[in-house]
């Protein structure tokens, strides 16, 4: 790269790059390599990173054309491979210049590979690694596999080179290059299930590094090592603000600090500088490796390693049947996970570990400071408007996995929190972690039902609440109120939808009209709105509907759809919502029933809230869809209403709660009907890779340090779904 170059845009004219990509072969021992690799220039901005990509494309196209005759790409790879053999010793001896040049070699390789991969098939890429300096287009069939050797070398570099100030950048670059190696997935709409890079990583000389690589990447995430301060990398910083400098004689060359780069093309704004580029890049590579599809004849070894590693405190032997095992400090890992949940990738790692590694799950559930983990997850859900849907899904599924454990469900009500500043709906000076969890989950359901209408999301929210319901303890009055008020909200919504379905054209506003016709199937309820019927004749209506409830709904919906079809108007939202609303009501009633049946004496605030809204619940006691689950709720309402009536009028809140607490003791438990325990277990859907692989690569695309891909080339996901 010529000494006169001062801008990235000048790179295609650079004499050293022109020689590398030109028609002249350069042997591995040529002094040219020392000249090529002795460069540095200031850290580019995000816009300059895009310019670098464009400049690299020009150089790469020339190299693609000439490399079959020159073999210069292979020569560059061999120069790098020969240098890495001395890298560990150079780090120990503080040989700054050697490490600097080796980093630059890897940086050039990474830039070239990224363009090669975006513009050619894996087979073509592999062919370019085999070209040597021979007759045009020839290559040695018995030569070493440079592509595989380079991958193994990168794994060695990541795992074996000590992390020092002078090796920080080359460690980041090695991880980035591995990410680039696997980036073929970005340019395919379908999930890649077999590829050359997969084959190299899952068998052969790379396979023995599996557990060591996973362990190193995890430790990089745990440590969150910050980059060395400016001037501490290899050489002092330039003082004259000059551009590109070449030649060792200057003595002021510096590394390209790729970790200070901004965002990629599709981002609306440049993100804040990462505190630990090495940790971020390590986590992204770990997630990519963990989500590789299994080989036809062998499972993904990196996923196996993630599934089986143990705590350093665990002295039990590893089963001989489990490969790629290792040990890591669970306490340090837990702390890092708690601290890093603001990022999508850290939440995805937490989900992966909880779901796939039983050792981690058991350890976390036994912690006595679970609030450190749960609170960041709740904050993600609380700020659902600011998060992408995938991040919200992962946070919610983490809660669902945790609530599968009864011990967790009990313990969260024993943890008392003070002054939750990010919860703005109400000042919470003191509340249990369990009650806060309930508030946030109900808020998430409500947001989903009014905005995104995602059935998957609200189903998992309700499942988490259902798992907890039998262990509800000492619910905060606001949490109890929200459980009941949210149920009532949907009861009213249900009434409204029924009104619209049965009487889409009715404008009746009084009760002066009565039943004119009442057939067995309830199809004719003329000149009367459901809302008025519910207020005055709820029992009659639900008795009627119970005969052929589903048929009535089906016919009403079909009739409505038929009346609209001529104008090509879609079915109204309220008609589509009916089944969803009914499912939500059913689940909320089951959650209330589960609490009343299993822990009535622990929850006077829930009974209070239920009595406050008893009029609405009483209207649904004979509803055919809810009649069974309403039995216990109706019994509790009737029992405590009677005791309050006996106590007289004008009762204070404190007096009502006192009567409720006394009544709990007097209520015979055998009068409450037993229902099967509410328990839901998270199970990944078939072919989870169809969800996770695009998600992981969208994180790489948006969050990887110093890597830019042209958004127009991306096929795996659309830009607006990142």
């Amino acid at each position: 790269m010529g000494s006169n170059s001062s801008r990235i845009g000048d790179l295609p004219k650079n004499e050293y790059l022109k020689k590398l990509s030109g028609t002249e072969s350069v042997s591995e021992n040529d002094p040219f390599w020392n000249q090529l690799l002795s460069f540095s220039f200031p850290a580019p901005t995000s816009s300059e990173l895009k310019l670098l990509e464009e400049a690299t494309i020009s150089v790469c196209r020339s190299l693609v054309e000439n490399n079959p005759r020159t073999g210069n790409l292979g020569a560059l790879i061999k120069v790098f491979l020969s240098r890495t053999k001395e890298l560990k010793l150079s780090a120990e001896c503080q040989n700054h210049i050697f490490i600097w040049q080796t980093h630059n070699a890897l940086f050039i390789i990474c830039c070239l590979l990224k363009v090669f991969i975006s513009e050619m098939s894996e087979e073509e890429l592999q062919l370019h690694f085999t070209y040597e300096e021979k007759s045009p287009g020839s290559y040695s069939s018995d030569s070493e596999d440079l592509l595989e050797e380079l991958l193994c070398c990168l794994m060695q570099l990541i795992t074996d080179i000590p992390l020092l100030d002078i090796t920080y950048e080359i460690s980041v670059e090695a991880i980035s290059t591995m990410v680039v190696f696997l980036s073929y997935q970005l340019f395919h709409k379908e999930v890649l299930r077999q590829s050359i890079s997969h084959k190299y990583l899952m068998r052969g000389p790379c396979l023995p590094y599996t557990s060591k690589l996973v362990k190193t990447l995890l430790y990089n995430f745990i440590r969150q090592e910050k980059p060395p301060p400016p001037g501490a990398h290899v050489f002092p910083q330039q003082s004259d603000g000059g551009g590109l400098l070449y030649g060792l004689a200057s003595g002021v060359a510096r590394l390209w600090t790729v970790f200070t780069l901004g965002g990629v093309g599709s981002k609306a704004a440049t993100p804040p500088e990462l505190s630990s580029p090495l940790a971020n890049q390590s986590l992204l590579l770990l997630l990519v490796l963990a989500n590789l599809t299994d080989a036809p004849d062998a499972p993904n070894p990196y996923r196996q390693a993630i599934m089986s590693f143990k705590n350093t405190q665990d002295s039990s032997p590893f089963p001989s049947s489990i490969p790629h095992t290792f040990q890591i400090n669970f306490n340090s890992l837990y702390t890092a996970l708690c601290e890093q949940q603001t990022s999508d990738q850290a939440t995805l790692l937490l989900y992966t570990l909880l779901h796939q590694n039983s050792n981690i799950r058991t350890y976390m559930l036994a912690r006595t400071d679970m609030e450190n983990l749960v609170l960041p997850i709740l904050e993600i859900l609380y700020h659902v408007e600011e998060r992408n849907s995938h991040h919200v899904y992962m946070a919610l599924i983490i809660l669902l996995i945790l609530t599968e454990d009864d011990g967790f469900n009990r313990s969260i009500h024993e943890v008392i929190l003070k002054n939750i500043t990010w919860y703005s709906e109400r000042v919470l000076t003191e509340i249990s972690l369990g009650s806060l969890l309930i508030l946030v989950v109900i808020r998430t359901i409500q947001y989903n039902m009014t905005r995104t209408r995602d059935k998957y999301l609200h189903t998992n929210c309700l499942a988490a609440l259902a798992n907890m319901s039998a262990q509800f303890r000492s619910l905060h009055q606001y949490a109890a109120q929200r459980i009941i008020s949210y149920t009532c909200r949907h009861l009213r919504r249900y009434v409204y939808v029924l009104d619209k379905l049965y009487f889409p054209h009715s404008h009746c506003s009084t009760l002066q009209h009565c039943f004119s016709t009442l057939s067995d199937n309830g199809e004719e309820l003329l000149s009367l709105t459901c809302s008025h019927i519910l207020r005055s004749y709820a029992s009659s209506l639900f008795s009627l509907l119970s005969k052929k409830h589903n048929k009535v709904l089906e016919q009403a919906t079909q009739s409505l759809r038929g009346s609209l079809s001529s104008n090509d108007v879609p079915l109204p939202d309220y008609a589509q919502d009916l089944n969803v609303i009914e499912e939500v009501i059913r689940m909320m009633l089951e959650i209330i029933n589960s609490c009343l049946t299993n822990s009535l004496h622990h929850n006077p605030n829930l009974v209070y809230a239920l009595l406050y809204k008893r009029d609405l619940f009483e209207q649904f006691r004979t509803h055919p869809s809810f009649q069974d689950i309403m039995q216990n709720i109706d019994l509790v309402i009737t029992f405590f209403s009677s005791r309050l009536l006996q106590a007289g009028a004008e009762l204070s809140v404190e007096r009502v709660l006192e009567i409720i607490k006394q009544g709990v003791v007097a209520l015979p438990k055998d009068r409450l009907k037993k229902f099967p325990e509410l328990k839901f277990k998270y199970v990944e859907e078939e072919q989870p890779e169809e969800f996770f692989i695009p998600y992981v690569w969208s994180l790489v695309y948006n969050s990887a340090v110093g890597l830019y891909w042209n958004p127009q080339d991306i096929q795996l996901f659309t830009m607006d779904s990142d």
Side-chain angles (χ1 to χ4, degrees):
M1 298 186 183
S3 58
N4 294 325
S5 295
S6 59
R7 293 182 297 110
I8 291 175
D10 294 331
L11 290 179
K13 306 173 188 175
N14 182 273
E15 60 180 287
Y16 292 96
L17 291 179
K18 287 171 70 175
K19 184 172 182 178
L20 172 67
S21 60
T23 57
E24 178 186 349
S25 295
V26 184
S27 70
E28 300 166 43
N29 301 318
D30 196 297
F32 161 79
W33 298 111
N34 278 337
Q35 297 168 326
L36 172 71
L37 301 179
S38 299
F39 70 86
S40 74
F41 45 91
T45 64
S46 56
S47 59
E48 289 174 332
L49 188 58
K50 183 179 179 181
L51 291 176
L52 172 66
E53 176 82 357
E54 294 168 352
T56 308
I57 288 174
S58 174
V59 174
C60 279
R61 286 175 178 166
S62 177
L63 184 60
V64 168
E65 181 180 350
N66 296 313
N67 187 58
R69 292 182 294 276
T70 65
N72 284 348
L73 177 63
L76 173 62
I77 301 294
K78 290 176 181 177
V79 168
F80 170 73
L81 292 175
S82 65
R83 285 175 168 272
T84 56
K85 295 173 182 176
E86 304 174 42
L87 199 57
K88 191 171 184 179
L89 181 61
S90 298
E92 294 171 355
C93 298
Q94 297 285 302
N95 189 339
H96 294 191
I97 294 176
F98 187 87
I99 295 173
W100 167 55
Q101 290 185 319
T102 306
H103 167 271
N104 288 349
L106 182 56
F107 175 75
I108 294 173
I109 291 169
C110 186
C111 289
L112 295 175
L113 275 177
K114 190 154 61 66
V115 177
F116 273 46
I117 286 171
S118 67
E119 298 203 346
M120 66 177 65
S121 69
E122 280 193 298
E123 291 73 21
E124 291 177 280
L125 177 66
Q126 191 175 34
L127 204 56
H128 272 281
F129 271 72
T130 62
Y131 291 131
E132 296 180 349
E133 183 187 357
K134 290 190 176 181
S135 58
S138 67
Y139 58 92
S140 175
S141 59
D142 59 351
S143 65
E144 70 275 28
D145 192 330
L146 276 184
L147 186 56
E148 183 174 41
E149 192 174 346
L150 178 57
L151 265 175
C152 287
C153 177
L154 292 173
M155 295 174 82
Q156 282 182 294
L157 194 160
I158 294 168
T159 57
D160 293 348
I161 302 302
L163 187 60
L164 309 169
D165 280 0
I166 60 174
T167 61
Y168 191 97
E169 288 99 334
I170 196 169
S171 296
V172 174
E173 199 64 49
I175 295 168
S176 297
T177 307
M178 282 201 69
V179 171
V180 167
F181 256 120
L182 294 162
S183 65
Y184 267 109
Q185 180 63 78
L186 281 172
F187 311 108
H188 291 78
K189 288 184 178 180
E190 71 285 354
V191 170
L192 294 180
R193 301 186 183 278
Q194 295 185 49
S195 72
I196 293 171
S197 54
H198 290 192
K199 180 187 73 174
Y200 288 144
L201 287 169
M202 294 190 185
R203 66 193 68 182
C206 290
L207 188 61
Y209 291 97
T210 297
S211 58
K212 197 171 183 181
L213 178 62
V214 171
K215 182 176 182 177
T216 300
L217 296 175
L218 275 174
Y219 265 130
N220 286 345
F221 168 72
I222 289 170
R223 293 191 188 104
Q224 294 289 317
E225 290 281 357
K226 295 182 179 181
H233 308 298
V234 178
F235 293 102
Q237 294 285 307
Q238 283 178 239
S239 58
D240 59 0
L244 297 166
L245 297 178
Y246 299 91
L248 299 178
S250 67
V252 293
R254 55 178 171 159
L255 286 178
W256 187 338
T257 53
V258 295
F259 43 81
T260 61
L261 300 180
V264 293
S266 69
K267 294 182 179 179
T270 301
E273 183 176 326
L274 292 167
S275 61
S276 178
L278 179 63
N280 180 73
Q281 216 80 336
S282 296
L283 179 51
L284 291 172
L285 176 57
L286 181 63
L287 292 172
V288 169
L289 293 172
N291 286 281
L292 294 176
T293 55
D294 294 336
D297 56 347
N300 177 350
Y302 304 94
R303 188 182 300 120
Q304 285 184 313
I306 286 173
M307 290 172 64
S308 60
F309 71 85
K310 300 196 304 184
N311 195 354
T312 49
Q313 308 299 317
D314 188 346
S315 58
S316 62
F318 285 104
S320 58
S321 59
I322 301 180
H324 314 300
T325 54
F326 63 91
Q327 290 180 289
I328 204 166
N329 188 307
F330 278 14
N331 182 61
S332 300
L333 179 57
Y334 178 81
T335 301
L337 286 167
C338 292
E339 293 173 350
Q340 300 299 320
Q341 285 308 304
T342 52
S343 76
D344 280 71
Q345 46 267 40
T347 304
L348 181 54
L349 176 63
L350 174 57
Y351 159 79
T352 302
L353 296 177
L354 272 175
H355 178 56
Q356 298 186 3
N357 190 312
S358 59
N359 299 321
I360 281 281
R361 185 166 59 252
T362 301
Y363 174 84
M364 288 187 176
L365 289 170
R367 295 280 304 204
T368 57
D369 59 349
M370 278 297 288
E371 66 272 16
N372 292 335
L373 186 68
V374 175
L375 281 173
I377 299 299
L378 294 183
E379 198 166 352
I380 293 169
L381 293 176
Y382 185 78
H383 296 294
V384 59
E385 303 93 337
E386 304 166 15
R387 304 290 182 179
N388 69 70
S389 60
H390 288 14
H391 198 185
V392 173
Y393 284 155
M394 291 300 100
L396 183 55
I397 293 170
I398 287 167
L399 286 185
L400 180 55
I401 292 172
L402 293 174
T403 60
E404 292 171 14
D405 183 76
D406 286 342
F408 170 83
N409 294 331
R410 286 189 295 270
S411 65
I412 56 175
H413 292 288
E414 298 168 1
V415 178
I416 303 302
L417 308 169
K418 296 182 182 296
N419 300 317
I420 307 301
T421 55
W422 48 261
Y423 193 94
S424 59
E425 271 84 348
R426 178 171 295 200
V427 176
L428 300 175
T429 55
E430 187 172 289
I431 190 172
S432 71
L433 179 60
S435 289
L436 181 64
L437 195 158
I438 292 167
L439 289 174
V440 172
V441 171
I442 288 178
R443 185 181 185 275
T444 305
I445 305 173
Q446 188 167 334
Y447 174 84
N448 178 61
M449 293 291 285
T450 56
R451 305 282 185 87
T452 57
R453 296 173 177 268
D454 186 327
K455 184 174 181 179
Y456 179 84
L457 189 67
H458 87 248
T459 299
N460 282 281
C461 283
L462 291 169
L465 288 178
N467 283 347
M468 297 167 56
S469 59
Q471 277 82 34
F472 283 171
R473 295 289 188 277
S474 304
L475 290 182
H476 189 280
Q477 60 180 14
Y478 185 49
Q481 175 190 326
R482 292 295 291 126
I483 292 172
I484 301 302
S485 63
Y486 181 72
T487 306
C488 291
R489 178 192 181 108
H490 283 283
L491 291 173
R492 294 190 189 97
R493 175 69 178 170
Y494 187 77
V495 170
Y496 172 79
V497 173
L498 281 178
D499 187 9
K500 291 295 184 182
L501 276 174
Y502 286 118
F503 308 100
H505 306 297
S506 173
H507 299 285
C508 178
S509 60
T510 69
L511 287 177
Q512 60 187 358
H513 298 290
C514 296
F515 293 100
S516 59
T517 305
L518 210 60
S519 64
D520 283 345
N521 61 11
E523 288 168 312
E524 300 179 31
L525 297 175
L526 305 178
S527 307
L528 201 59
T529 64
C530 273
S531 54
H532 288 116
I533 293 171
L534 279 179
R535 277 196 289 269
S536 302
Y537 303 105
S539 296
S540 300
L541 174 65
F542 290 143
S543 296
L544 173 68
L545 292 182
S546 66
K547 294 182 179 180
K548 292 186 179 180
H549 176 68
N550 292 333
K551 181 180 178 183
V552 173
L553 288 183
E554 181 182 351
Q555 290 176 343
T557 305
Q558 288 176 349
S559 174
L560 184 58
R561 184 181 286 112
S563 66
L564 295 171
S565 60
S566 58
N567 298 321
D568 294 325
V569 179
L571 194 66
D573 284 345
Y574 57 75
Q576 299 174 21
D577 285 350
L578 187 63
N579 288 336
V580 175
I581 296 171
E582 193 166 302
E583 288 175 9
V584 172
I585 292 173
R586 173 79 191 185
M587 183 63 79
M588 289 303 297
L589 291 176
E590 288 190 351
I591 289 167
I592 295 169
N593 179 71
S594 174
C595 177
L596 297 179
T597 306
N598 293 283
S599 53
L600 177 65
H601 55 295
H602 289 299
N603 293 289
N605 284 329
L606 185 67
V607 177
Y608 183 97
L610 185 61
L611 292 173
Y612 190 77
K613 298 287 187 179
R614 60 180 176 267
D615 289 348
L616 188 55
F617 282 91
E618 286 171 349
Q619 293 174 9
F620 283 79
R621 61 158 63 106
T622 58
H623 189 288
S625 294
F626 315 128
Q627 193 171 10
D628 59 334
I629 207 71
M630 279 295 300
Q631 290 180 36
N632 286 340
I633 297 173
D634 188 49
L635 188 152
V636 169
I637 289 174
T638 303
F639 177 83
F640 285 99
S641 295
S642 173
R643 295 183 74 89
L644 291 177
L645 190 62
Q646 294 171 14
E650 303 298 328
L651 300 175
S652 66
V653 174
E654 293 76 13
R655 177 58 182 151
V656 172
L657 285 172
E658 183 183 344
I659 293 170
I660 290 171
K661 292 175 183 177
Q662 293 170 352
V664 165
V665 180
L667 177 63
K669 300 299 183 290
D670 56 1
R671 291 181 60 187
L672 294 173
K673 180 182 176 182
K674 290 293 183 182
F675 285 83
E677 186 180 13
L678 281 181
K679 273 298 173 186
F680 295 87
K681 185 176 178 62
Y682 170 72
V683 178
E684 277 188 348
E685 296 183 7
E686 291 185 12
Q687 297 184 318
E689 65 274 9
E690 299 290 345
F691 170 85
F692 285 104
I693 288 178
Y695 180 33
V696 168
W697 278 105
S698 72
L699 297 179
V700 173
Y701 175 81
N702 283 301
S703 307
V705 177
L707 295 177
Y708 169 84
W709 286 277
N710 187 338
Q712 296 178 347
D713 294 336
I714 305 300
Q715 298 293 316
L716 182 61
F717 49 82
T718 55
M719 292 299 102
D720 58 357
S721 68
D722 297 348

